[in-house]
Amino acid sequence: MTRKFEHIIAIPADPNDGEDRDVTEAVLLQALREREQRGRGAQRAPTKQQVTLRLDQDILAKFRATGPGWQSRINDALRSVSP
């Protein structure tokens, strides 16, 4: 996946913070490239399968409102009613 970084600008240091440093566009671009290269990688032993699933908006909103891990909670709910 190739991303465009033209919208990135330099971030000046906070003059009120003695430990803060200027961040140049070049440093930001390098950090973004390194982050993109790291990635999560493939699972060693794939246990889950990515699927597309249509859910009612209210159900999805309720799970999302519970915060991070909502997808796992949907999985747990489905597992609890599976035969």
Side-chain angles (χ1 to χ4, degrees), residues 56-75:
D56 291 335
Q57 290 180 356
D58 61 324
I59 298 297
L60 186 56
K62 287 178 183 178
F63 276 98
R64 284 185 170 165
T66 64
W70 62 269
Q71 296 99 329
S72 294
R73 284 187 287 282
I74 290 176
N75 190 68

Side-chain angles (χ1 to χ4, degrees), residues 21-68:
R21 303 285 184 260
D22 287 342
V23 178
T24 64
E25 186 172 0
V27 170
L28 284 172
L29 289 173
Q30 181 62 31
L32 288 170
R33 284 187 194 108
E34 289 173 5
R35 181 178 180 190
E36 191 173 68
Q37 289 173 355
R38 283 193 304 256
R40 182 172 176 170
Q43 291 180 331
R44 290 191 183 119
T47 58
K48 297 189 178 187
Q49 181 177 354
Q50 183 175 350
V51 298
T52 300
L53 180 66
R54 293 181 180 266
L55 302 172
D56 291 335
Q57 290 180 356
D58 61 324
I59 298 297
L60 186 56
K62 287 178 183 178
F63 276 98
R64 284 185 170 165
T66 64

